Amino acid sequence: FHDAPLTQLIEQALSDNVNLRVVAEKLEETKALARQAGAPLVPTLDGRGSVSSSRNHSTDDSTDNFLLGLAASYEVDFWGRLRARSDAALLDVGASLEDYHTAALSLAAEVAITWYQFVESNLQLRLLNSQKETNTQVLELISMQFRSGQAGIADVLQQRQLVESNISDMAALRANIYVLKHRMAILLGALPGKHDLPSPERLPDPAPLPSTGIPLDLLARRPDIRASYLKLKA
């Protein structure tokens, strides 16, 4: 969207969001399990050492004994069990990586949606405030006309209702802006009320629609679909 504040918010969310960190730690866990599953494919080397000392008090002689031993073992993967288990673990790593990409894409989209809802609400609030000022001036004018007998009480009441409606709509928008700030703070991994959002100026100009290609290509680019495929292979 060529929107610098949005880019900054998404980068912070990808760095500090708690739920995304959980997915990243699950990816590291899967990598560790893959290393564990591949360990039996390499030889095992065991080492053992000991030191003993004895002393003859009658002759005042001492003897030291040192023992060092190495033992190597290797399990022949005759039926391919070990290789299959290692391959399945590597596929699980790939699936976990795609799960991470899915979570990152979903997080970025949620940040973008929340940000533009925040921008929209702020712009609507400015517009309503301008409308309220205009309606208030018109109310003063109609009130003067009523006092001089040029307008009826119904006109005054109707204009007063417009001003009250503007005030009510502004209160609802302020409440919505507060909720959006709270939601954005959670997405960014920050404490609600402790993170200030940039001051929005306007909504961005819409870019051309992306070239999505045919449905099969679109599905092949989705990380959640790729993750399911890798899990099936595993």
Side-chain angles (χ1 to χ4, degrees), residues 116-221:
Y116 286 129
Q117 287 177 343
F118 174 75
V119 175
E120 177 190 11
S121 297
N122 276 274
L123 296 179
Q124 288 179 345
L125 185 61
R126 295 179 189 177
L127 180 60
L128 275 175
N129 186 61
S130 177
Q131 288 180 341
K132 183 180 77 70
E133 292 177 356
T134 301
N135 288 333
T136 301
Q137 293 175 358
V138 174
L139 176 60
E140 294 175 355
L141 179 60
I142 294 178
S143 298
M144 292 176 59
Q145 292 176 344
F146 171 71
R147 286 192 291 270
S148 62
Q150 297 178 3
I153 186 63
D155 296 329
V156 177
L157 294 177
Q158 183 179 7
Q159 190 62 29
R160 186 173 296 171
Q161 286 179 346
L162 285 176
V163 174
E164 294 297 331
S165 177
N166 291 149
I167 295 175
S168 175
D169 291 340
M170 291 174 64
L173 273 176
R174 289 192 181 96
N176 186 53
I177 289 173
Y178 178 81
V179 172
L180 291 172
K181 286 183 176 180
H182 188 98
R183 182 190 305 170
M184 182 65 79
I186 294 176
L187 292 173
L188 299 180
L191 289 176
K194 301 295 184 180
H195 186 276
D196 294 329
L197 293 178
S199 178
E201 297 297 332
R202 63 181 183 88
L203 289 168
D205 297 326
L209 291 176
S211 177
T212 57
I214 61 176
L216 182 60
D217 294 335
L218 184 61
L219 286 178
R221 292 203 304 269

Side-chain angles (χ1 to χ4, degrees), residues 64-138:
D64 297 326
N65 295 314
F66 300 92
L67 176 64
L68 179 64
L70 295 175
S73 62
Y74 180 73
E75 180 180 355
V76 178
D77 191 16
F78 189 76
W79 302 106
R81 175 180 62 86
L82 300 178
R83 173 59 62 183
R85 187 169 64 182
S86 177
D87 291 343
L90 291 176
L91 289 170
D92 285 335
V93 171
S96 296
L97 180 60
E98 297 297 345
D99 287 339
Y100 177 81
H101 290 161
T102 301
L105 282 173
S106 300
L107 176 61
E110 188 67 24
V111 170
I113 291 172
T114 304
W115 167 245
Y116 286 129
Q117 287 177 343
F118 174 75
V119 175
E120 177 190 11
S121 297
N122 276 274
L123 296 179
Q124 288 179 345
L125 185 61
R126 295 179 189 177
L127 180 60
L128 275 175
N129 186 61
S130 177
Q131 288 180 341
K132 183 180 77 70
E133 292 177 356
T134 301
N135 288 333
T136 301
Q137 293 175 358
V138 174

Side-chain angles (χ1 to χ4, degrees), residues 23-52:
V23 181
E25 293 300 327
K26 289 182 178 179
L27 174 61
E28 293 301 319
E29 177 187 7
T30 309
K31 290 180 179 179
L33 292 175
R35 287 192 294 268
Q36 183 181 20
L41 293 174
V42 297
T44 301
L45 182 64
D46 294 325
R48 184 175 59 178
S50 64
V51 178
S52 62

